[in-house]
Amino acid sequence: DVPFKRGSSALSEDAKSQLDQLAGSLKDHKGYIVEIEGRSPGRGVAGIENSQRVTEAVKRYLVEHDIPVYRVHAVALGNAQVASNNAGEEENKPLKTSSVHIRSMENSLAARDAASPQGAASTTGAERP
């Protein structure tokens, strides 16, 4: 999670450090997607617009640090509640600050094909010369 100060969409030095580590860990990977979920206090349009601003700040930073834009998928959720780890129950605490949750997912087939000298030939049945 990348926290933001109340009412701000500027990334802190700590947030930049977290994002640098993420970008560095994905540098040599193939077939991954970075999913960004932005949440922000405020009801209705105000909450959604602020969550869009913080989500775009994170997305822009990652793209500027060599994460291809087509690998980044972002969604602004406004003040939607976060599911807790307790049997899927929802936390009913209102949000006090904006935050962005980042998750990276890797396609194991793409990683395997990148390591294979024949690439995707083994999974498609097609032969390569």
Side-chain angles (χ1 to χ4, degrees), residues 5 35 37 40 51 63 70 72 81 86 99 101 119 124:
K5 290 183 180 179
E35 182 180 89
E37 294 178 350
S40 180
S51 63
V63 170
Y70 64 87
V72 181
Q81 298 296 316
N86 299 332
S99 68
H101 180 74
T124 62

Short mmCIF file of all heavy atoms in Angstrom, two decimals, residues 5 35 37 40 51 63 70 72 81 86 99 101 119 124:
data_model
loop_
_atom_site.label_atom_id
_atom_site.label_comp_id
_atom_site.label_asym_id
_atom_site.label_seq_id
_atom_site.Cartn_x
_atom_site.Cartn_y
_atom_site.Cartn_z
N LYS A 5 -0.80 11.78 1.98
CA LYS A 5 -1.27 12.74 2.98
C LYS A 5 -2.66 13.18 2.60
O LYS A 5 -3.02 13.24 1.42
CB LYS A 5 -0.33 13.95 3.05
CG LYS A 5 1.01 13.61 3.64
CD LYS A 5 1.86 14.84 3.77
CE LYS A 5 3.21 14.47 4.37
NZ LYS A 5 4.09 15.62 4.48
N GLU A 35 -1.45 -4.16 -11.08
CA GLU A 35 -2.81 -3.69 -10.81
C GLU A 35 -2.76 -2.65 -9.70
O GLU A 35 -2.18 -2.89 -8.64
CB GLU A 35 -3.66 -4.88 -10.38
CG GLU A 35 -5.10 -4.53 -10.13
CD GLU A 35 -5.87 -5.76 -9.70
OE1 GLU A 35 -5.92 -6.03 -8.49
OE2 GLU A 35 -6.40 -6.45 -10.58
N GLU A 37 -5.09 -0.08 -7.31
CA GLU A 37 -6.42 0.27 -6.80
C GLU A 37 -6.29 1.49 -5.91
O GLU A 37 -5.62 1.44 -4.89
CB GLU A 37 -7.01 -0.87 -5.97
CG GLU A 37 -7.32 -2.12 -6.73
CD GLU A 37 -7.85 -3.21 -5.82
OE1 GLU A 37 -7.81 -3.07 -4.58
OE2 GLU A 37 -8.31 -4.22 -6.36
N SER A 40 -9.96 6.70 -1.62
CA SER A 40 -9.84 8.02 -1.03
C SER A 40 -11.10 8.34 -0.23
O SER A 40 -12.20 7.92 -0.61
CB SER A 40 -9.68 9.05 -2.14
OG SER A 40 -9.57 10.33 -1.62
N SER A 51 -9.39 9.69 -5.72
CA SER A 51 -8.76 8.38 -5.89
C SER A 51 -8.17 8.25 -7.30
O SER A 51 -7.14 7.60 -7.47
CB SER A 51 -9.72 7.24 -5.58
OG SER A 51 -10.81 7.21 -6.45
N VAL A 63 5.46 4.27 -14.85
CA VAL A 63 5.74 4.36 -16.29
C VAL A 63 7.03 5.15 -16.53
O VAL A 63 7.84 4.79 -17.38
CB VAL A 63 4.54 4.96 -17.05
CG1 VAL A 63 4.90 5.29 -18.49
CG2 VAL A 63 3.36 3.99 -17.00
N TYR A 70 1.30 -0.43 -20.98
CA TYR A 70 0.33 -1.49 -21.27
C TYR A 70 0.32 -2.57 -20.20
O TYR A 70 -0.57 -3.41 -20.17
CB TYR A 70 0.58 -2.10 -22.65
CG TYR A 70 1.90 -2.81 -22.81
CD1 TYR A 70 2.05 -4.14 -22.47
CD2 TYR A 70 3.01 -2.13 -23.32
CE1 TYR A 70 3.26 -4.79 -22.61
CE2 TYR A 70 4.22 -2.77 -23.47
CZ TYR A 70 4.35 -4.11 -23.12
OH TYR A 70 5.55 -4.74 -23.28
N VAL A 72 0.25 -1.77 -16.93
CA VAL A 72 -0.33 -1.15 -15.74
C VAL A 72 -1.83 -0.96 -15.93
O VAL A 72 -2.26 -0.33 -16.88
CB VAL A 72 0.35 0.21 -15.45
CG1 VAL A 72 -0.23 0.83 -14.20
CG2 VAL A 72 1.86 0.06 -15.33
N GLN A 81 -15.08 0.36 0.57
CA GLN A 81 -14.49 -0.31 1.72
C GLN A 81 -13.55 -1.42 1.27
O GLN A 81 -13.77 -2.06 0.26
CB GLN A 81 -15.58 -0.89 2.62
CG GLN A 81 -16.50 0.15 3.21
CD GLN A 81 -15.78 1.11 4.12
OE1 GLN A 81 -14.98 0.70 4.95
NE2 GLN A 81 -16.05 2.40 3.98
N ASN A 86 -10.68 -11.27 7.66
CA ASN A 86 -11.50 -12.08 8.56
C ASN A 86 -12.69 -12.67 7.82
O ASN A 86 -13.78 -12.11 7.82
CB ASN A 86 -11.99 -11.25 9.76
CG ASN A 86 -10.85 -10.72 10.58
OD1 ASN A 86 -9.79 -11.33 10.63
ND2 ASN A 86 -11.05 -9.57 11.21
N SER A 99 -5.08 6.13 -0.28
CA SER A 99 -4.02 5.14 -0.43
C SER A 99 -4.20 4.41 -1.76
O SER A 99 -5.29 4.40 -2.33
CB SER A 99 -4.02 4.13 0.71
OG SER A 99 -5.17 3.33 0.66
N HIS A 101 -3.34 0.66 -3.44
CA HIS A 101 -2.89 -0.72 -3.25
C HIS A 101 -2.36 -1.23 -4.58
O HIS A 101 -3.02 -1.08 -5.61
CB HIS A 101 -4.06 -1.59 -2.77
CG HIS A 101 -3.69 -3.01 -2.56
ND1 HIS A 101 -2.95 -3.43 -1.48
CD2 HIS A 101 -3.95 -4.12 -3.30
CE1 HIS A 101 -2.77 -4.73 -1.56
NE2 HIS A 101 -3.37 -5.17 -2.65
N GLY A 119 10.24 -21.05 -27.50
CA GLY A 119 9.18 -20.08 -27.22
C GLY A 119 7.85 -20.77 -27.04
O GLY A 119 7.74 -21.74 -26.31
N THR A 124 1.53 -24.35 -28.45
CA THR A 124 0.59 -24.19 -29.55
C THR A 124 0.61 -25.37 -30.49
O THR A 124 -0.29 -25.53 -31.30
CB THR A 124 0.92 -22.94 -30.38
OG1 THR A 124 2.23 -23.10 -30.94
CG2 THR A 124 0.86 -21.70 -29.52
#
